[in-house]
Amino acid sequence: MNCRWKSVQLSSDDGSLVAISWDVPENNESAPYIATVVAEDTLVNENDRLAGILTQVSDHFVRAFNITELRKEIRDHLSELKKRVETIEGLKAVEIEKCKKEIVQLREMMYARKSSSVDYPIRKYNSEQYLYNTLDKVNLNRSKIPLYTKYTLSQETIDYLKKPTFDIWQWEPNEMLSLLEHMYHELDIVRELNINPITLRRWLLCVQENYRNNPFHNFRHCFCVTQMMYGMIYACQLEKHLSKPELAILLTSAVCHDLDHPGYNNSYQINAKTELAIRYNDISPLENHHCAVCFKILNKPECNVFANTAESTYREIRKGIISLILATDMAKHSEIMEQFRSTVNDFDINNDKHRTCLKMILIKCCDISNEVRPMEISDPWVDCLLEEFFQQGDREKSEGLPVAPFMDREKVTKSSTQIGFIKYVLIPLFELFSKVFPNVRELLVIPLMDALDRYEKLKKIEEVDANKAHEKNEEESSEKLSPEKDKEKPTESRRASQSTV
């Protein structure tokens, strides 16, 4: 379609040109605008007309809004912003990465709150896995396990946690984790060693995940031993004499001392020629394995609670933890007792050798301290231990291996196992310890003597019950035999009469 197009311009009454735009000043009768045709009529198509309109509109907008200046200003601003971003990325890379990690941690915490009813995964083992575990099977995956809820502890609980009478049975796994976390904070280990609190919690979760669901050697036993260590530190006021790295060694050794315990002791490992026994040449195979798993976990950056310590401090901590965990092998009991006995008469807390012996005795005491606790706390532990022993004894019988007398369910009673252990192992150990720290004798030794008296009384009751059961069995046996004898008598009489005939 063709149309006729004319170019028009406006001018004021004085001849000045007036720009045709959206903000053109108003005219009036006294000062009207004059419209003038400045181009001849021409034929143009619709596209040309549209292009002309757009060109004029563009010119008007450029004049009205200063587009060129605005474009330049925007370009300058973008350039400045780019420089600032590059500066931030260069100078704040660490902070940005830290923020990313904190976002992930917050996301985990939010998930934990939403998933408070989710139980922690329990590791399942087949019969072969119960014998040993290779290091490449150690569970280090924390991504699927939510952070546990942190509990606010009452002052009563905080004080109770420092006592040997602490009841370890009333606490759920999440609560035990919070109590362990509290111990590290209370002893000022977290601040002094610059431990990231999130890393501490992740490490505790990873440790918990690598304790098996055994009757005795499980995560609750780990908590029990660590709580006793914590209590003995305060009872002996060792927090005033030992350095923070040494306190970290004591607490961490207790936490990790039975990591990935398979529920079968060193004797079984050696006699059955398991992978652990072969790997460690029959020398403390379990304790060496516990150490290896401990540092396998700590070797993960997200679980390394000692990542911010100096290299020399880390070497000291590693050496100390290995020494203490290896000291829990009962095969070394007499050797360690003799070493500590040699220091008792002139014990000096400032002597490095004496301090090393003290730390080994401490973890030994804590590892086998159940009978120090009240009977209602210690008694269930004996049942758990016997069940684990009997499982091993049953397996040894089925495999034709030697069976220890205290692991044979057909020969063992609760009193018989505990009397000898308390009399010949526990009381001598804790009495020797109390010679250096006399104030703990009433806390630690007296309860052992009470426990010994209780088991001796129990033994008498068990013997009476055993005699009654034996007499009852004999009576039942005789009653079963008497009818058979009565049946035999008529047969004999008939044979006699027949022979007479």
Side-chain angles (χ1 to χ4, degrees), residues 282-299:
D282 295 349
I283 301 172
S284 304
L286 287 180
E287 289 71 25
N288 274 295
H289 181 60
H290 304 325
C291 289
V293 176
C294 169
F295 286 99
K296 180 77 173 178
I297 295 172
L298 286 172
N299 198 43

Side-chain angles (χ1 to χ4, degrees), residues 28 39 78 82 160 223 242 260 297 312 323 338 359 480:
N28 50 51
L78 288 174
K82 184 177 179 182
Y160 186 31
F223 173 72
L242 299 181
D260 198 43
I297 295 172
S312 58
S323 172
E338 288 304 314
K359 285 181 280 189
K480 289 179 181 179

Side-chain angles (χ1 to χ4, degrees), residues 216 221 225 257 328 330 333 362-372 421 425-426 429-430 448:
F216 183 87
H221 169 67
V225 174
H257 81 283
T328 60
M330 287 303 293
H333 179 75
L362 269 170
I363 196 165
K364 285 185 63 60
C365 288
C366 296
D367 190 23
I368 54 178
S369 62
N370 286 329
E371 290 298 344
V372 170
F421 188 64
V425 177
L426 293 181
L429 173 63
F430 280 88
L448 289 175

Side-chain angles (χ1 to χ4, degrees), residues 258-456:
D258 271 333
L259 270 170
D260 198 43
H261 196 296
Y264 297 86
N265 68 9
N266 281 332
S267 295
Y268 177 86
Q269 304 295 326
I270 294 169
N271 292 332
K273 300 179 178 63
T274 66
E275 182 179 326
L276 288 181
I278 294 170
R279 177 183 299 148
Y280 297 112
N281 302 310
D282 295 349
I283 301 172
S284 304
L286 287 180
E287 289 71 25
N288 274 295
H289 181 60
H290 304 325
C291 289
V293 176
C294 169
F295 286 99
K296 180 77 173 178
I297 295 172
L298 286 172
N299 198 43
K300 300 290 289 182
E302 62 270 23
C303 295
N304 188 0
V305 290
F306 305 122
N308 297 326
T309 60
E311 182 63 28
S312 58
T313 304
Y314 179 80
R315 284 198 299 269
E316 175 192 351
I317 292 173
R318 173 172 162 79
K319 180 181 178 181
I321 291 173
I322 292 173
S323 172
L324 265 59
I325 293 179
L326 292 180
T328 60
D329 184 358
M330 287 303 293
K332 299 180 179 179
H333 179 75
S334 299
E335 176 188 346
I336 295 172
M337 285 280 286
E338 288 304 314
Q339 289 178 359
F340 187 66
R341 186 175 283 111
S342 67
T343 69
V344 166
N345 294 333
D346 59 344
F347 185 84
D348 181 7
I349 193 67
N350 296 316
N351 184 302
D352 289 342
K353 179 183 176 182
H354 292 189
R355 288 157 78 99
T356 299
C357 289
L358 171 63
K359 285 181 280 189
M360 287 194 290
I361 284 290
L362 269 170
I363 196 165
K364 285 185 63 60
C365 288
C366 296
D367 190 23
I368 54 178
S369 62
N370 286 329
E371 290 298 344
V372 170
R373 302 179 188 273
M375 182 189 71
E376 61 272 16
I377 301 173
S378 63
D379 196 57
W381 276 123
V382 181
D383 295 330
C384 292
L385 183 61
L386 288 178
E387 178 57 30
E388 192 166 302
F389 281 173
F390 293 157
Q391 286 182 4
Q392 177 172 325
D394 293 344
R395 188 181 189 97
E396 288 170 331
K397 289 178 183 178
S398 67
E399 296 179 358
L401 299 174
V403 181
F406 58 89
M407 293 190 175
D408 191 337
R409 65 172 72 245
E410 298 175 0
K411 300 178 181 179
V412 171
T413 63
K414 182 183 288 189
S415 62
S416 64
T417 59
Q418 293 305 101
I419 288 174
F421 188 64
I422 295 173
K423 184 182 292 186
Y424 300 111
V425 177
L426 293 181
I427 290 179
L429 173 63
F430 280 88
E431 279 191 330
L432 184 63
F433 182 81
S434 66
K435 288 182 180 180
V436 177
F437 299 97
N439 60 305
V440 302
R441 179 177 174 80
E442 186 174 352
L443 281 173
L444 306 176
V445 180
I446 301 303
L448 289 175
M449 293 181 173
D450 293 340
L452 180 60
D453 291 340
R454 185 174 69 251
Y455 281 113
E456 287 177 340

Side-chain angles (χ1 to χ4, degrees), residues 166-172 220 376-381 384:
F166 186 84
D167 187 356
I168 48 81
W169 292 107
Q170 62 176 309
W171 306 93
E172 297 299 323
R220 191 173 296 275
E376 61 272 16
I377 301 173
S378 63
D379 196 57
W381 276 123
C384 292

